[in-house]
Amino acid sequence: MNELSSGKAASGTGAHVELDAVSFGPFSLRSRRLERDGVPVKLGSRAMDILRLLVSRAGEVVPKAEILAYAWSGLAVEEISLRVHVAELRKVLGDGKDGVRYITNIPSRGYCFVAPVERGERRPASTPVPQPVANMASPMSLPHRLDRMIGREDVLPELAARLLNERFVTLRGPGGIGKTTVAIALAHEMWETFEGGVHFLDLGPLRDSALVVSTVAASLGLVVHQTDPTGGIVSFLRNRRLLLVLDSCEHVIDEVARLAETIHREAPGVSLLATSRESLLVEGEQIFELVPLPGPPPGARLSADEVVNYPAVRLFVERAAAAGHRADVSDDDAEVLAEICGKLDGIALAIELAAARVGIYGLREMAALLDSRLKLEWRGRRTAPPRQQTLGATLDWSFGLIGEAERIVLQRLAVFAGPFTFQDAIAIAAAENEPVERVVDALEQLVAKSLVSTRPEGASRRYRLLDATRVYALQKLVEAGEAQAVARRHAGYVQRALETSMVESAGSHQALRSQSRASLLADARAALEWSYANDFGADLRVPLAGSCARLFVELNLLNEARLWSQRALAMLDDANSGGRWELELQSTLGHAFMFTERNSEQAESALRRGLEIAEVLDDRANQFRLLSRLNMFARRTGNYRQLVPIALEAEKVARAIGDVAGIAGAKALVGVSYHLVGNQTEAQAHLDEGVRDDAALRGTQPGHFAYSRTPQIPLARVLWLRGSPDRAVACVRPLIGAAAPRDVVMHCIALCWSASVFGWVGDWGTVEALTGRLATHAGMHGLAPYEAVAAGFRAQTMIARGEVRGGIDLLRTALPRLHADRYELYASAFIAELAQGLAALGQLTEGRAVLHETIARIEPEGGAFDLPELLRLRGELEARSDELDAAEASFATSIAMAEQQGALSWRLRSEMSLARLQLRQGVRNPLDDLAKTFARFSEGYETADLKAARAMLDVG
């Protein structure tokens, strides 16, 4: 609706009013035609001119001089002529009947059109839906209520109860969140409660706060005779019971506050509901905060059925369907829908505007578009108030209601990509030489006006800008010419915050430190993107990436850790070479390479370079961290000779540091190393020591140099090998059904090692379950090498169940991937399974070949924990080839090695194989040695191997 230029009207030029089709009450006005309920209404030309002018300026006081200049262009007439035609107009409109008001006189100023005006043609009434008979007329005087209000089902009863108990409630929330929708619905809900005494006033069109009181008076059917009719309103309401809804108060809040407080104090039968982006701050007011519509949590992997249970998604889907997009939601859509609703922050208006365009762009394209300013310009319903037709208009409305200091602070705070603290806000929003008090005051006002949201966190609070507000404010920051300077200040602040929090700490401080670091993730990403895209931030690139590197590892974002470390190391200069930032980057790069790509020479080179720098800098915590990672690299690549020396060096460093958790972690590292090289006695001794201090180890947080070195899982494998199957299973049983811990790499290791224990005891159902979790977990976090390991375990399960050919095919896919990644830790077990499967299919020669190749690779490295088992399997294949002497020799070697390693379970298996061979050869008393070995067990009699041994002994 275009407004008449006051300058033109005053000059007497007879300026033409461009007026779109509008409607108010039962009337429609198009061009110079007025209709009531579709029937033309006769109106004189002067009265029509006056009506068109007042409607075009609805909510404003139009001075009498302007009206005279427009309706009687070029003529000199008395003011009495204006009063006569206004009286005619009021009579035609029925102004004042049944409490309905259209035109009010503002003494000494002019006239104002006070009825709500809707743009566009009035839609023909739909076929009425039969309604139950009520004891009173339906609330036709109220604005139309939405047929279906999503996500606010619990709000109405709670809000109604508070309104009845407390009488004066302000429904507060940011623009577009749905305050008006809820207020209209509540007015309809409470129509019978107040016996029809419900008055709804949309104050949005008012442009002059002085009109508030007269507008309220007009809505109540009072004739205004004085400049301030407050007294008359109070006298009228004092002995009445009714509900007064004051919608959209924020732009005229001072006058609304004064009037509402007076009514609440002087008229005890009146209930007041105000909707506003800020509190009225008067006596008696109670705040009801309208929160965003709940949406799926970030990163949740939900099905279609799960995702549509969230109100934000449900609203989006329904509005998209109404706009012509297909209504069904597939599981493939679920993740995109969750992403879209996350970007829309649960703001109803934003959801509706985006949903209406899905049919144009598609879901995935919509998700990308939401990152741009474009969403601020998407138009909504033509009949909506102008301030609600676009997100940009809604924010323009809010932006226009705050002062210059608040605008500056809002623009600067928009640089934060995630939640921020009070101290963060001060650091970024207070430029050099600017008073901090100004930022403090501005932040308080921005929160009060719902432009910055806040939530408690412990004893303090965190703040954030809703996504649409942030996009809007960033554009304003660019227009103000401050974008680069504020972005640099932000990047520097993030770098310093991460650098400061890298200091090792213990106890409860460690947990708080980890939480604080994790909260910086979104801003760390934003700062990195900006600094590497702008030369203005070139000097921050290496220290910023170095500060972020450990954070990415702590949060299991290993692909990001690898990419940013590579980028930073590629531009390393002399100032940072050999310093702490190269140390962090090299350490991170080597670690991330191992788990996301392969155990390459580049990974080992990065780890060794990092260790070299740590030793020069005498950084013991990083020495331990890098020795642990080098130990991991050696075990993964099958370089077993290096394991124990590296672990013992790490233990030496841990003792020098003197940290209890670090020493426990070192014990676990040494124990694992002895286990893998085949010394189970030493392995159990060290792992038992680690378990004794396990409480300290479990108390570590991400970033601690010994974080997540839990000894129970490797101890389970050692216990099985040492002849304690039940105790072994007890160690890993808690992992079944347990939620994944925050350290995804350690969780993958735990799943792998636990699966091996359950495979050894013959519980293939549990192996299958753990393997499924491993595959899902590895795929979710981009840990490609573990996906190949999961395939190997799945193949083992298939072969154990008789699906030999399918298992072999899967192993032939998984093993080349493991070899290509230089990931040999699990390869020997999978090759052993492959050899047995090939033999089962009659391909003995091929089976023996792959087994021989594996043994030949392991033996020069000093052997391994599973070499006795590989030798036993070689003997089994030799026996099937009728090479009985060779088979007997292989079994004997296996038994001797198992005894040397302290691996009683390997010995039992080899004793059974040898006994079967000797039974075949007719050797006297072939079961004697098996019986002696069986007698050394004191538990595990229901596990597969012991049951098989018992059966042999019983038959013998």
Side-chain angles (χ1 to χ4, degrees):
M1 187 187 304
N2 297 328
E3 296 176 9
L4 177 67
S5 167
S6 59
K8 289 182 179 179
S11 67
T13 61
H16 179 61
V17 175
E18 294 293 340
L19 191 65
D20 296 331
V22 297
S23 58
F24 46 89
F27 295 96
S28 297
L29 177 63
R30 181 178 179 86
S31 185
R32 298 184 64 80
R33 180 183 177 89
L34 179 68
E35 295 180 352
R36 180 187 178 112
D37 295 327
V39 178
V41 175
K42 185 176 180 181
L43 191 64
S45 61
R46 300 291 187 198
M48 176 64 75
D49 287 338
I50 295 169
L51 176 62
R52 285 169 52 79
L53 177 60
L54 292 177
V55 169
S56 74
R57 305 271 290 277
E60 289 186 54
V61 177
V62 183
K64 296 173 184 177
E66 287 190 28
I67 301 174
L68 291 168
Y70 175 70
W72 287 272
S73 178
L75 300 177
V77 294
E78 298 292 331
E79 186 178 317
I80 185 64
S81 298
L82 174 59
R83 290 200 295 271
V84 168
H85 285 85
V86 168
E88 175 195 352
L89 185 54
R90 280 175 166 160
K91 182 178 180 180
V92 169
L93 296 176
D95 197 331
K97 293 182 179 180
D98 301 322
V100 178
R101 297 305 304 268
Y102 293 100
I103 301 171
T104 187
N105 176 32
I106 310 301
S108 305
R109 296 184 61 188
Y111 293 92
C112 177
F113 195 86
V114 296
V117 175
E118 296 182 9
R119 293 170 175 266
E121 298 279 4
R122 184 182 297 280
R123 291 177 293 180
S126 58
T127 304
V129 179
Q131 298 291 335
V133 177
N135 295 326
M136 61 198 72
S138 59
M140 296 298 294
S141 61
L142 298 179
H144 173 69
R145 177 183 186 175
L146 287 179
D147 295 332
R148 177 171 161 78
M149 187 171 62
I150 296 173
R152 304 299 187 194
E153 297 84 355
D154 297 332
V155 170
L156 290 183
E158 183 181 353
L159 184 56
R162 288 193 59 181
L163 196 57
L164 291 173
N165 290 334
E166 298 161 356
R167 288 186 45 235
F168 181 9
V169 177
T170 295
L171 186 61
R172 186 176 68 185
I177 202 169
K179 299 185 296 295
T180 297
T181 299
V182 171
I184 291 172
L186 186 74
H188 282 266
E189 286 284 322
M190 304 194 77
W191 180 264
E192 291 190 15
T193 302
F194 284 92
E195 299 178 347
V198 179
H199 296 263
F200 189 100
L201 284 81
D202 177 11
L203 302 178
L206 297 185
R207 291 170 176 81
D208 187 339
S209 61
L211 294 174
V212 169
V213 179
S214 58
T215 301
V216 172
S219 75
L220 295 173
L222 303 179
V223 178
V224 177
H225 294 294
Q226 62 267 58
T227 303
D228 183 3
T230 301
I233 292 173
V234 170
S235 296
F236 175 78
L237 294 176
R238 184 167 286 122
N239 297 315
R240 284 179 166 80
R241 183 173 183 268
L242 57 82
L243 170 63
L244 184 60
V245 182
L246 305 174
D247 186 44
S248 301
C249 300
E250 53 273 345
H251 63 302
V252 288
I253 198 160
D254 290 337
E255 283 300 313
V256 171
R258 184 182 65 81
L259 178 61
E261 183 179 51
T262 302
I263 293 173
H264 176 70
R265 185 175 59 246
E266 302 292 339
V270 174
S271 293
L272 285 160
L273 176 67
T275 74
S276 176
R277 301 181 191 186
E278 61 178 304
S279 305
L280 304 188
L281 298 178
V282 292
E283 181 184 354
E285 179 191 32
Q286 303 293 320
I287 301 299
F288 189 104
E289 196 75 36
L290 193 61
V291 299
L293 292 173
R301 290 178 174 266
L302 304 173
S303 67
D305 290 339
E306 291 170 329
V307 81
V308 295
N309 283 330
Y310 289 91
V313 178
R314 198 157 63 248
L315 176 62
F316 185 93
V317 170
E318 290 202 8
R319 294 296 183 265
H325 186 66
R326 59 182 176 83
D328 59 307
V329 178
S330 69
D331 286 343
D332 290 338
D333 297 333
E335 186 174 352
V336 185
L337 279 170
E339 178 187 355
I340 288 173
C341 290
K343 291 180 177 181
L344 296 172
D345 286 311
I347 302 300
L349 175 61
I351 292 171
E352 292 187 7
L353 293 176
R357 284 156 181 80
V358 175
I360 300 173
Y361 302 113
L363 278 176
R364 297 189 184 278
E365 291 76 9
M366 174 65 67
L369 286 173
L370 288 175
D371 292 325
S372 70
R373 181 177 166 79
L374 181 62
K375 65 181 176 184
L376 297 178
E377 309 306 326
W378 287 337
R379 300 194 68 81
R381 292 179 292 111
R382 297 181 187 278
T383 55
R387 69 182 185 280
Q388 294 178 354
Q389 288 197 0
T390 68
L391 280 178
T394 296
L395 289 165
D396 281 337
W397 171 271
S398 296
F399 201 68
L401 298 177
I402 60 177
E404 184 62 23
E406 294 159 10
R407 293 176 183 176
I408 291 172
V409 170
L410 180 66
Q411 290 164 189
R412 292 174 180 173
L413 293 179
V415 77
F416 284 110
F420 53 91
T421 65
F422 180 77
Q423 291 75 20
D424 297 337
I426 298 299
I428 300 303
E432 190 175 356
N433 299 324
E434 289 186 357
V436 170
E437 292 77 10
R438 184 183 301 172
V439 175
V440 175
D441 292 341
L443 180 61
E444 180 181 343
Q445 290 302 310
L446 292 171
V447 171
K449 292 176 171 62
S450 301
L451 283 165
V452 173
S453 61
T454 179
R455 60 177 173 81
E457 186 175 278
S460 59
R461 302 192 73 83
R462 282 199 172 269
Y463 305 85
R464 70 181 289 260
L465 274 64
L466 297 180
D467 188 63
T469 306
R470 180 172 179 265
V471 171
Y472 178 91
L474 278 175
Q475 182 62 33
K476 293 292 184 182
L477 186 67
V478 171
E479 293 170 3
E482 273 201 304
Q484 291 288 69
V486 173
R488 179 178 173 82
R489 194 185 313 155
H490 171 260
Y493 177 75
V494 170
Q495 190 275 318
R496 290 190 300 274
L498 286 172
E499 180 181 2
T500 302
S501 63
M502 284 169 65
V503 178
E504 301 284 346
S505 60
S508 60
H509 296 296
Q510 187 184 160
L512 291 173
R513 163 186 164 277
S514 296
Q515 183 180 355
S516 175
R517 285 172 61 77
S519 69
L520 289 168
L521 175 61
D523 287 291
R525 287 168 166 164
L528 282 168
E529 292 287 354
W530 175 82
S531 65
Y532 279 79
N534 292 273
D535 291 339
F536 195 41
D539 60 313
L540 293 173
R541 291 170 182 168
V542 170
L544 183 58
S547 300
C548 293
R550 193 184 300 182
L551 175 66
F552 288 139
V553 173
E554 291 169 6
L555 299 178
N556 305 300
L557 302 170
L558 297 186
N559 280 298
E560 285 185 71
R562 173 173 50 80
L563 292 171
W564 286 113
S565 296
Q566 282 181 296
R567 290 187 69 176
L569 287 169
M571 56 183 60
L572 198 67
D573 54 19
D574 292 341
N576 289 302
S577 180
R580 62 177 308 194
W581 299 130
E582 186 188 358
L583 166 58
E584 287 295 332
L585 293 167
Q586 297 284 12
S587 174
T588 299
L589 181 63
H591 178 75
F593 251 124
M594 270 197 292
F595 296 107
T596 61
E597 290 200 347
R598 58 191 302 268
N599 303 297
S600 63
E601 292 180 0
Q602 184 179 1
E604 183 178 16
S605 176
L607 293 174
R608 293 200 177 279
R609 171 59 179 162
L611 180 59
E612 176 186 323
I613 298 171
E615 289 171 344
V616 170
L617 298 177
D618 196 25
D619 185 342
R620 289 175 175 170
N622 267 315
Q623 286 178 48
F624 185 95
R625 187 177 285 113
L626 283 154
L627 286 166
S628 298
R629 290 174 181 175
L630 281 166
N631 181 275
M632 177 73 75
F633 184 86
R635 77 175 78 155
R636 289 165 68 89
T637 56
N639 191 357
Y640 293 149
R641 288 187 183 276
Q642 295 185 13
L643 289 179
V644 174
I646 292 175
L648 291 174
E649 182 64 23
E651 183 182 25
K652 180 180 176 182
V653 172
R655 291 194 181 281
I657 294 173
D659 182 272
V660 175
I663 295 171
K667 285 295 181 184
L669 197 65
V670 174
V672 168
S673 300
Y674 276 125
H675 159 60
L676 291 174
V677 300
N679 188 338
Q680 307 310 327
T681 306
E682 282 292 330
Q684 184 171 356
H686 284 82
L687 289 169
D688 281 341
E689 284 191 58
V691 168
R692 280 199 293 271
D693 289 325
D694 186 49
L697 198 57
R698 288 183 179 275
T700 59
Q701 298 290 321
H704 188 278
F705 66 88
Y707 172 65
S708 278
R709 304 290 176 189
T710 53
Q712 282 85 352
I713 302 299
L715 179 60
R717 286 168 49 113
V718 172
L719 287 171
W720 184 86
L721 289 167
R722 297 274 288 154
S724 299
D726 291 343
R727 290 175 60 198
V729 170
C731 283
V732 293
R733 181 70 66 185
L735 192 63
I736 302 173
R742 56 192 161 194
D743 191 321
V744 297
V745 169
M746 285 299 165
H747 187 53
C748 285
I749 294 172
L751 289 170
C752 291
W753 285 36
S754 298
S756 66
V757 172
F758 284 107
W760 290 338
V761 300
D763 185 353
W764 294 104
T766 300
V767 174
E768 185 174 34
L770 294 175
T771 299
R773 289 173 60 187
L774 175 63
T776 300
H777 204 64
M780 184 186 305
H781 296 285
L783 306 178
Y786 284 113
E787 294 183 89
V789 175
F793 278 117
R794 189 160 55 249
Q796 281 188 317
T797 304
M798 293 171 68
I799 292 172
R801 290 180 172 173
E803 302 172 30
V804 179
R805 195 173 298 280
I808 287 175
D809 291 342
L810 187 55
L811 282 171
R812 281 176 164 160
T813 300
L815 282 167
R817 289 172 58 191
L818 291 172
H819 292 320
D821 292 341
R822 297 179 67 199
Y823 197 3
E824 304 298 338
L825 179 60
Y826 304 100
S828 58
F830 298 152
I831 288 171
E833 208 71 52
L834 176 62
Q836 293 180 83
L838 290 169
L841 295 178
Q843 302 174 36
L844 273 173
T845 303
E846 188 178 353
R848 290 180 64 178
V850 297
L851 197 57
H852 176 76
E853 181 184 347
T854 301
I855 293 172
R857 175 179 57 81
I858 291 175
E859 282 184 318
E861 290 296 329
F865 80 98
D866 58 352
L867 187 54
E869 175 68 354
L870 297 174
L871 291 170
R872 182 189 72 83
L873 291 173
R874 184 179 71 181
E876 291 280 3
L877 299 189
E878 289 167 341
R880 294 186 64 164
S881 302
D882 291 329
E883 299 176 14
L884 304 187
D885 291 342
E888 187 171 2
S890 292
F891 294 146
T893 305
S894 173
I895 291 169
M897 185 174 292
E899 187 65 27
Q900 179 187 351
Q901 290 190 2
L904 184 61
S905 291
W906 286 154
R907 174 163 185 152
L908 180 69
R909 286 188 176 185
S910 296
E911 292 280 14
M912 283 193 287
S913 293
L914 179 59
R916 280 191 291 268
L917 177 63
Q918 290 177 339
L919 283 169
R920 176 180 172 185
Q921 293 173 320
V923 173
R924 183 187 297 268
N925 301 320
L927 300 176
D928 287 353
D929 289 338
L930 174 60
K932 292 176 184 177
T933 301
F934 185 85
R936 293 168 63 182
F937 284 86
S938 59
E939 61 174 78
Y941 298 114
E942 295 303 315
T943 58
D945 289 344
L946 287 166
K947 287 169 71 175
R950 178 75 269 171
M952 285 184 68
L953 292 170
D954 288 344
V955 172

